[in-house]
Each structure stands twice: as C-alpha cells, then as structure tokens.
Amino acid sequence: MFQQRTASMCALYPAFSNTVHQASQPQRIMLLLLLLLLLLLMLLRADVAVAGEELDVMVLSVDVARCRVSLSLKRLQRDPLQTTLDSIQWGETTLALPEVKQIIQVLEWTPGIKRVDIGRQAEESHTVSQDVELYLTKQSPQGGFALVARVGRVLQELLVETGLSKDDMKKALTRVLSRVGRS
C-alpha cells in the first residue's frame, strides 16, 4: 500500500535528482536520509498516522541510483494468523482427515518438495470453514515452511521440507487447493 503511494522523489523534484547524482557517497547517504524523512511525512499525510505520532517502520530497500527508499509498516506487525494459532489449544494429531491426507499426497508429488510431516492438531470451537483452507505461516522451520490446513473446525499443522522460495511455495499451495476435493 505504501509503495503504491510513493512516487520517485527524483521524478517529483528534478533538482533533488541532480543533487543526488552529483553528490559524493556520504552526501548521498545524508540526502537519502532526508528523502526518508520526506517519505515519512508523505505517510503522515496518507491517513495512516497522525501528525506527531512516532512510527516504527522497516526499511526494505535503499536505491541510491534511483533515489528511492522502500518502507513497510506491515512487516513489523505480528502475523494475525500466528496470533490466532497461538491462542488455540494444540494437541497431538489423533486422526488425519481425508482432506489433509489428500493435501499431503498432492504436496509430496510437487517438484521441489522433499517431505511433508504432520504436526499438531487442534479443534476450534468458534470458527467453522465450509471449504478446505490452507495457510502459510510466517514462522517456518529452517529449510521449509509451516502450513495450517483448516477443514471444518479442525486445524492441522503440516511441516514441509523444501528448497522452494516463498513465492513458489504459494503457487504450489494454490495448485494443491485446486486439486483437493476433486475425485
């Protein structure tokens, strides 16, 4: 959202662009800090915060050549899915549901996935899903990803060992969900 609102300061202010390109490396760093301050001021005008409010942001990238600083408020926030998962009483898996077995089977046939292990299981009393849902959690084990499958009231943790990138894993999960439930 924030990146969509920020245009290149160099494009908006040609004089700034010329100054940055003619500056030495230490001067460029100072100018980029100024740019960061200007971007934060733009953020304040964007109704995300109010004037005078202190914000913690994560600097995603600094592109000196293009005079860009990418910031994120969202990256510092706790994962809402993880908050929900932390509040649930987890136990040992008593019985893997047929839909979960099908997810595992499709995942194991996906190129790049080495192994899928069944983790914890829980039953939610207040949320029911009519469809099979599959979530990729932010807290993942090294060398893979932690998933949570929801079938009705049952939540099933799946631990996937893979060399896939996060984006490739998301694509794989989309394919998995398109195949689960079909006979």
Side-chain angles (χ1 to χ4, degrees):
M1 176 175 115
F2 181 72
Q3 282 184 320
Q4 293 171 347
R5 289 187 177 168
T6 58
S8 169
M9 293 298 285
C10 294
L12 292 174
Y13 302 105
F16 184 79
S17 176
N18 291 338
T19 304
V20 168
H21 292 296
Q22 294 171 0
S24 66
Q25 187 67 20
Q27 291 171 328
R28 282 185 178 197
I29 292 170
M30 290 301 293
L31 289 169
L32 283 172
L33 289 174
L34 175 61
L35 174 63
L36 179 61
L37 178 60
L38 290 171
L39 289 173
L40 286 172
L41 290 173
M42 287 175 59
L43 174 68
L44 292 174
R45 288 189 319 180
D47 297 329
V48 174
V50 296
E53 180 179 359
E54 289 188 20
L55 297 174
D56 289 326
V57 295
M58 178 182 284
V59 177
L60 300 178
S61 65
V62 176
D63 186 343
V64 176
R66 295 177 60 201
C67 302
R68 289 186 181 221
V69 177
S70 298
L71 306 172
S72 174
L73 289 167
K74 192 175 182 180
R75 293 263 179 103
L76 294 178
Q77 296 173 348
R78 183 151 162 74
D79 180 11
L81 173 62
Q82 195 62 47
T83 302
T84 301
L85 296 177
D86 288 345
S87 68
I88 294 172
Q89 288 289 68
W90 290 91
E92 294 299 315
T93 298
T94 54
L95 176 67
L97 299 171
E99 294 89 346
V100 173
K101 288 180 183 178
Q102 193 176 10
I103 289 169
I104 293 170
Q105 185 179 24
V106 175
L107 280 170
E108 287 176 336
W109 283 96
T110 301
I113 293 181
K114 299 171 188 165
R115 195 169 96 198
V116 181
D117 293 323
I118 294 177
R120 308 171 293 172
Q121 191 177 68
E123 188 168 329
E124 258 191 306
S125 58
H126 63 278
T127 305
V128 178
S129 173
Q130 299 293 330
D131 300 317
V132 176
E133 297 175 344
L134 196 54
Y135 301 98
L136 181 64
T137 68
K138 283 188 178 179
Q139 293 182 338
S140 296
Q142 188 172 352
F145 297 96
L147 311 176
V148 175
R150 183 196 304 264
V151 181
R153 293 180 187 263
V154 177
L155 296 171
Q156 179 67 63
E157 182 181 55
L158 300 173
L159 304 170
V160 180
E161 185 180 332
T162 181
L164 294 177
S165 69
K166 187 174 184 178
D167 287 337
D168 288 339
M169 188 65 189
K170 286 179 181 180
K171 290 174 188 173
L173 295 180
T174 302
R175 286 191 300 272
V176 167
L177 283 174
S178 71
R179 293 181 181 138
V180 171
R182 290 194 285 168
S183 300

